[in-house]
Amino acid sequence: MSDAPNPPIPAATLILMRPQAGRPPAILMVERGATLAFAAGAIVFPGGRVDPEDHVAAGGDEDRAHRIAAVRETAEEVGVTVDPEALTYFARWRPHAPLRRVFDTRFYLAEAPDDAEPVVDGSECATAFWATAAETLAMAEAGEIKLIFPTRRNLERLARFADIEAARADCFAHPPQVITPQIVDGVLRIPEGLGYPVTEEPLEAAMRQ
């Protein structure tokens, strides 16, 4: 078996936010199928890898290819579509695991269409639901769902926002940088100053995949 590093796989995910009167926005979350190789059974935002066809459709523009991939994957997984031009670049995560498959993932925000109701295929996505960021985090704390490290950190960041406008404003206040968690003294950490209220978690408690 080769010890050569595996190049990160480009991926894109979509944080769909639905306004709620007098409450923080609901966010579309999906449960990954139990038999999938990556994050099986975890609750995540819809998304997936960037395909060569996405680059062709984007005319070679890297950011647009990721936007197209985020929209395409969301449509495939839950049947909800949005305009790629309406997406706001929120974050970029790229774990360091040279001998294991890793994803270099860009996260985008978008307001969900008024009539958006997810329909899952039952295999890649087992279920889908709308919940505020705080509600999803509470479910994880109660042991009702599983969250991988990047999803938990992004939900904690999203839980601070009263509406999608505030979330978008934070994107411009903290322009996305590549976030690569590091293990330091048994703790999984990300850098300070990138907009995340929680930047570490004990390694033994962190679900990384």
Side-chain angles (χ1 to χ4, degrees):
M1 184 169 129
S2 173
D3 288 336
N6 293 318
I9 301 168
T13 195
L14 185 55
I15 302 170
L16 272 177
M17 307 180 79
R18 184 168 68 182
Q20 300 187 107
R23 301 188 64 219
I27 298 172
L28 182 59
M29 308 299 300
V30 300
E31 179 187 359
R32 288 182 58 79
T35 61
L36 296 177
F38 176 77
I43 299 298
V44 298
F45 309 107
R49 69 178 62 206
V50 181
D51 290 341
E53 293 80 7
D54 300 322
H55 286 280
V56 172
D61 183 284
E62 189 75 14
D63 177 66
R64 181 163 174 76
H66 281 74
R67 291 169 178 266
I68 290 171
V71 170
R72 174 184 55 74
E73 286 283 345
T74 300
E76 291 174 0
E77 291 180 0
V78 294
V80 178
T81 59
V82 295
D83 181 359
E85 299 302 322
L87 275 54
T88 302
Y89 189 12
F90 181 70
R92 182 177 179 182
W93 285 67
R94 184 172 63 205
H96 176 70
L99 301 182
R100 180 165 55 85
R101 183 177 63 171
V102 298
F103 292 91
D104 182 350
T105 306
R106 300 189 191 193
F107 293 75
Y108 294 89
L109 295 173
E111 183 169 339
D114 292 338
D115 59 350
E117 288 301 334
V119 178
V120 300
D121 61 11
S123 56
E124 185 171 1
C125 291
T127 60
F129 61 90
W130 295 96
T132 68
E135 289 168 343
T136 302
L137 288 167
M139 285 187 277
E141 287 302 311
E144 299 170 3
I145 61 173
K146 298 188 296 183
L147 295 175
I148 58 176
F149 185 80
T151 306
R152 186 184 291 271
R153 302 287 83 86
N154 279 307
L155 283 168
E156 290 162 348
R157 182 179 173 187
L158 291 163
R160 299 179 303 138
F161 307 131
D163 50 42
I164 190 171
E165 288 75 18
R168 285 178 172 144
D170 193 68
C171 295
F172 298 110
H174 301 93
Q177 302 178 33
V178 176
I179 298 174
T180 300
Q182 301 290 333
I183 300 173
V184 181
D185 297 329
V187 174
L188 192 60
R189 294 176 176 168
I190 62 173
E192 302 278 351
L194 300 181
Y196 290 87
V198 180
T199 58
E200 61 182 45
E201 185 175 352
L203 184 61
E204 60 187 21
M207 180 183 178
R208 289 178 287 165
Q209 176 171 322

